Amino acid sequence: MRSLEELVVRAGERGSLPEAVLAMDAEEQMIDAAALRSRLRARLEVLRETVAAALAGRWQPKLIGDDKDKYAALRRAPMSGELVWRASEIAVALGTCNASMGRIVAAPTAGSCGILPGLLFAWQETRHGGDEKLLEGLIVAAAVGEIVSQRATLAGASGGCQAECGAAAAMGAAALCHMEGGSPEACAHAVALAFKSILGLACDPVAGLVESPCVKRNGTLVSIGAIAADMALAGIRSIIPPDEVIDAMGDVGRALPPSLRETARGGCALTPTGKALTKRLNENRAEAGAALA
């Protein structure tokens, strides 16, 4: 599956985007579409379990704090709206869980693990959506991720954070658009609108850990996914075709200097505080190693 354009055409033939996705994957993998649906339903439940555990747990990353409980202070009237605020809360919880070696689902990567489930489950909670519609959203998101991986990349080391958190936001935008009743064409343009807003985003983890700025970035980029979906649902379209936007993301990723592609040699990682935190962490590791020697 390499093209959103082809997927939209197939959706017109099959009657819906999820059915087109399942049919195309069933053909490529030579297995039954019902079996694929069953597998994704099981993965959705694993996602649900990891969200519950991340929200309930007490996490201790090496550099950052566990901020998820702070969301309660504004839950009644966040300026960003109920869905985005809840999605951000879930995303930060999952990112913090990942930074603490907890169980997460790469969606599509570990560094971007909070964005898609944050949007999916916040949508279900705030819009009172059913499990089958949620499953359809996951199927649509998975198709977008597959196309991005084929046309560009999902790896921060290859394309910067635009390829990780950017792809997660684009996947979430397509899922939201579908779950809210958007057409296949609208879902494709939700992907384009999300990616266009995040092109060039550096992957700059402090001390090489998936903590800062990664966790907070998960918490903020859910907003990109939600707004892109809203725009597409309103009828706004990208003047650049969605597949070309994905291709542009790949080109931009290859053009980024190595210092901005997951090497911890640029961006936030190279600020005075970033370097001080890295030094402190390395000293702690040396002390721990000496104690074990």
Side-chain angles (χ1 to χ4, degrees), residues 2-72:
R2 289 186 55 86
S3 166
L4 285 171
E5 182 180 15
E6 179 188 2
L7 185 56
V8 169
V9 171
R10 292 288 294 268
E13 297 168 353
R14 286 278 175 174
S16 80
L17 202 46
E19 290 305 317
V21 172
L22 292 173
M24 292 175 74
D25 267 355
E27 290 172 13
E28 291 176 7
Q29 299 182 40
M30 293 185 291
I31 61 175
D32 186 64
L36 278 173
R37 183 183 285 272
S38 180
R39 286 184 192 177
L40 284 165
R41 183 176 287 109
R43 289 193 173 96
L44 182 63
E45 291 312 307
V46 174
L47 270 176
R48 196 189 305 274
E49 291 168 7
T50 61
V51 167
L55 288 168
R58 290 290 176 266
W59 307 107
Q60 294 183 312
K62 290 183 174 65
L63 294 179
I64 64 173
D66 186 349
D67 290 325
K68 65 180 181 299
D69 292 341
K70 296 174 182 176
Y71 278 79

Side-chain angles (χ1 to χ4, degrees), residues 127-293:
R127 311 293 273 191
H128 309 293
D131 284 346
E132 283 305 305
K133 186 59 70 174
L134 196 68
L135 175 61
E136 290 182 5
L138 180 62
I139 292 169
V140 170
V144 172
E146 183 177 348
I147 291 168
V148 173
S149 72
Q150 293 292 320
R151 298 187 73 95
T153 181
L154 294 170
S158 300
C161 198
Q162 56 158 17
E164 293 203 23
C165 287
M171 292 162 67
L176 288 178
C177 188
H178 172 76
M179 293 187 300
E180 283 289 306
S183 68
E185 180 206 20
C187 293
H189 281 271
V191 171
L193 293 166
F195 266 130
K196 284 166 68 174
S197 301
I198 205 171
L199 288 182
L201 184 63
C203 184
D204 51 348
V206 174
L209 300 175
V210 189
E211 296 189 29
S212 176
C214 320
V215 173
K216 305 303 189 303
R217 196 169 277 166
N218 272 253
T220 56
L221 291 190
V222 294
S223 61
I224 296 288
I227 291 296
D230 273 341
M231 292 170 71
L233 286 164
I236 296 171
R237 298 293 180 260
S238 169
I239 192 172
I240 308 299
D243 286 320
E244 292 184 27
V245 174
I246 294 173
D247 295 342
M249 186 275 285
D251 291 339
V252 169
R254 286 184 287 273
L256 286 173
S259 62
L260 300 180
R261 284 189 274 142
E262 209 174 347
T263 58
R265 296 202 301 261
C268 288
L270 219 60
T271 60
T273 298
K275 289 190 286 187
L277 289 169
T278 301
K279 181 182 179 182
R280 187 191 76 191
L281 183 65
N282 289 336
E283 289 172 349
N284 291 343
R285 286 170 175 164
E287 291 174 4
L292 292 172

